[in-house]
Amino acid sequence: MDALTAAGPSPLIALVGNPNCGKTALFNRLTGSRQKVANYAGVTVERKEGSLLTPSGRRVRILDLPGAYSLDALTPDEQVTADVLLGRRAGESQPDFIVCVTDATNLRQNLRLTLSLKRLGLPMVVALNMSDIARRKGIVIDASRLAAELGVPVVTTVGVKSSGVRPLIEVLDRVAAAPSSVAVDTASPVTWRSPTAAELEEDQAQVRRILSAVGADRIDAATRSDRVDAILLHPVIGPALLAVILFLVFQAVFAWAQIPMDAIKAGVDALGGWLATVVPASSFRDLLIDGVLAGTGSVLVFLPQIVILFFFILVLEDSGYLPRAAFLLDRIMGSVGLSGRAFIPLLSSFACAIPGIMATRSIQNPRDRLATIMIAPLMTCSARLPVYALIISAFIPRRPVWGGLQLQGVVLFALYVLGVASAMAVAYVLKRSGGGTRFQTLMLELPNYHWPNLRTLCIGLWQRVEIFLTRVGTIILALMVILWALSSFPAPPPGATGPAIQYSIAGHLGAALAVIFRPIGFNWQISIALVPGLAAREVAVGALGTVYALSATGADVSSALAPLISHSWSLPTALSLLAWYVFAPQCLSTLATVRRETNSWRYPIIMAAYQFGLAYVGSWLTFRIATALLA
Amino acid sequence: MDSMALNDLAPGASARVVSVGAGEASAPQELSRRLAELGFLPGELVRVVARGFLSREPIAVRVGTGTFALRRFEAACVRVRPEPV
C-alpha cells in the first residue's frame, strides 16, 4: 500500500478469554487458519500465531492463547497465556492490543477476567462472541451500554460465521492504522498482581451491576442443556447410554466401511493389474507392484474405517458430550488416582497419543500430569486401527452375536477396553509407587450442548483424511521402498528353492528377530514387519503386504492380505499379535513428544521399557493360553 | 436457614454461596482460590444438576450461567445457604 505500512513491525494482537468461549474459532476466521476447535475447555494448549491483512491493507499479527480463568495460572497451558500477557515469555514482546473474547451467554463468568485484563493497562476491545446463540436464547445485550460501563470498546461477533467477524476486523484495522486511536480508559496503568479474595468479590459485585445495567442479568431456572443433562448425567441412565454410544461407534466402524473398503481394494488391484501389463518385467515393476502398491494399498484400504471413527469423535467433541463422558467416568479415574482432568487428554489419545500428551498441559498437579502422559500411549490410537481391523477381518468370523451385534465389532470394542483397562492398571501402580496428593482436582466445565457445526465437522474430517493420506504418501511409501529393497537384495543364489525374500537382508534380519519373537508365536514375516512399524504403527500392515507379496510363489501377488494371513497364521499367533499391539511402544514420535513435554530422557525410556515388558508378557500369555485352549 | 457444604446439597436444590473456604483439612491451598475464579463467590446462585452413582460424586453444579463438574472434596470448600423453594 503506502510507505507507512512497510515501516515499523506489525502490531501483535492477542486473543484472550475463558476456556471454550470461541477464541480459536475467531482466530481461524481472522487468519484463515484451521486450528482445532471443539466444544470443551482446553482444546488450545499452546500459543498459535497467524496474520490478518486488514481492509486498508495493513498486516497485523494475531495470537491465539489457551483459555484461562484467571491470570493466576494454575496449569501449564494457563501459564502460557499469563506469561505472554505479562510480557514474561522469553523472546516475545508484550502484545500491543488485547481482544478479550467473551461468551455472550455466560458473561457472568467471563466479565471477571475482562475486569482483570483491564488492569493490565493494555489497549483492549471486548468481543461478545457466540452472540447468535445468545440471541436465540433471548439474551439481548446492550453493547454500547456495556462499552460505557466497562470503559472499553465492545463488538459483537459470531466465530462460526464468516460475516460474524466483520465488526472485529474494523476495530483491528483502526488499531493497525494507529494503535493509540482506539480509545481506552486506562488512566492509571498498574503493574499486575493477583487479586485478593476480597477483590474477586468486588469484581463480581461490579459484574452484577454491569449485567443488570445492560439487561443481561437473567439466570434461567432450567436451561435446555440442564434438561438434556438430567438424562445424560443420570446416575443409571447416563452410564448405560455412554456404553450404548461407544458400542455403536465400533459397530459402525465395521458395518459401514465394507463397501468403500471393497471399492478401494478393487481399485488397488485394478491398478496393479494395469501396471503389470504396461510396465515391462523388471526390478522397477517389482518395486512398483510388490513394494509400493502392495504396501501402501494395504494401508489405504483402512481409510473408510478411520473416517467413520473420526466422524463420531468429532460429533461427540463438537456437541459438548465429551466433558459429560468425563463426568460419568470420573469415579473410575479417581479410583486409580488419576485427575478428573486426565479424561480429555486420554480421550484425545484415541486419535493419536501426541496431541493427547500435549493436552495434559491442562492438568495442574505435575505428578498427575506425568501419570497421564505415561498411560496415554496405551489408549488405542487410530494408527492401530488398520492393524486391528486386518487381523480381525482375517480371523474373526463375521457373524451376529446377541441382539443384532456383530462379532467383529465386539472384538474391536474389547481391544479398546483392554487398552483402557491396562492404562488404568498402570496408573494405579504409578500412583501407588509415586505417592502424590490424595486430592486430584476435577473442576471441569460442562459447556452448553449445541448441534455439531457441519462446516467444522467437514473440515475436521478432511484434515484427518489429509493426515492419513500424507502418511501413506510420505513415511509409509518411503519405508515400503526401503523395505522392498532390503527384502529383494541380495538375490537368491542359483538353485535356491524357497521364496527369494528368505535370502535377502530383510529375510536374514527377520530370521534373527524371529528367535526373540518365536516364544510369543510370531513368524519371521511378522518380525520383519514390526521393525518399520516403529516409525508408524500402520506401516506394519503395509510391511506385511510387501513381505507377503514377495514371499508369494507364483500366486496372484496383489490379492488381499487378509485371506493370505488367515491361511498362514494360527489363531494363537493372530491373538498374540493383537495383544502385542495393545501394549507395545510402536511409535518413535510419541517417545519424542514425551521427551519434549517432560524435558527429560528418563520418562520416554521408562515408558518404552514398561510397554515392551507388558507387550512381551501379554503376547506370551495370550499365545500360550490360546494354544492350550485350542489344542 | 443455616449454611451447609455444597457437597451435601440435594440434586435439583438451589442455594446461594455464603463463603468459599479451606474445606477438608490438608486440601490444597489454591483450591478455594480457583473455585472463586470459576465463579463460586458469595451471593452467587448454585444448583446441583446431577450427581454420580453410589459414591455420589462427581457433582455437576450450575453456578450463575455456567456448569462445572466437581469432586466431593472440591464442593466441600463451598458453604451455601439453601434457597426457599
Side-chain angles (χ1 to χ4, degrees), chain A residues 513-591:
Chain A
L513 285 174
V515 176
I516 306 170
F517 289 116
R518 197 168 298 129
I520 60 174
F522 295 176
N523 59 22
W524 62 269
Q525 288 97 332
I526 300 175
S527 307
I528 294 178
L530 292 180
V531 176
L534 284 173
R537 282 186 174 87
E538 62 269 54
V539 173
V541 169
L544 284 171
T546 298
V547 169
Y548 274 97
L550 287 170
S551 334
T553 39
D556 181 14
V557 286
S558 59
S559 74
L561 191 52
L564 247 169
I565 61 170
S566 73
H567 289 126
S568 58
W569 296 358
S570 68
L571 183 57
T573 292
L575 295 177
S576 168
L577 185 57
L578 283 179
W580 179 266
Y581 260 86
V582 170
F583 300 115
Q586 295 258 330
C587 168
L588 296 176
S589 23
T590 301
L591 295 174

Side-chain angles (χ1 to χ4, degrees), chain A residues 72 106 221 330 442 444 446, chain B residues 33 47 65 67 69 71 74:
Chain A
D72 245 338
N106 195 7
D330 184 61
L442 180 61
L444 184 67
L446 304 177
Chain B
R33 171 177 192 91
R47 183 161 40 85
T65 46
T67 308
R71 282 185 174 169
E74 292 166 336

Side-chain angles (χ1 to χ4, degrees), chain A residues 280-291:
Chain A
S282 60
S283 287
F284 179 66
R285 187 173 88 176
D286 293 346
L287 167 66
L288 272 186
I289 297 178
D290 295 342

Side-chain angles (χ1 to χ4, degrees), chain A residues 411-490:
Chain A
V411 171
L412 184 65
F413 184 60
L415 286 169
Y416 275 75
V417 170
L418 182 59
V420 174
S422 53
M424 295 298 119
V426 171
Y428 184 73
V429 173
L430 280 178
K431 295 297 283 195
R432 282 319 275 287
S433 55
T437 157
R438 187 164 66 85
F439 300 100
Q440 284 89 26
T441 52
L442 180 61
M443 294 202 268
L444 184 67
E445 184 154 12
L446 304 177
N448 286 322
Y449 291 101
H450 61 67
W451 288 107
N453 180 296
L454 193 64
R455 190 186 122 95
T456 311
L457 184 64
C458 291
I459 291 176
L461 273 184
W462 175 244
Q463 282 178 328
R464 297 317 305 193
V465 172
E466 261 182 349
I467 290 170
F468 184 75
L469 293 182
T470 310
R471 277 167 78 99
V472 170
T474 55
I475 186 167
I476 297 181
L477 180 72
L479 284 166
M480 286 306 117
V481 172
I482 295 170
L483 184 67
W484 175 85
L486 291 178
S487 311
S488 303
F489 302 104

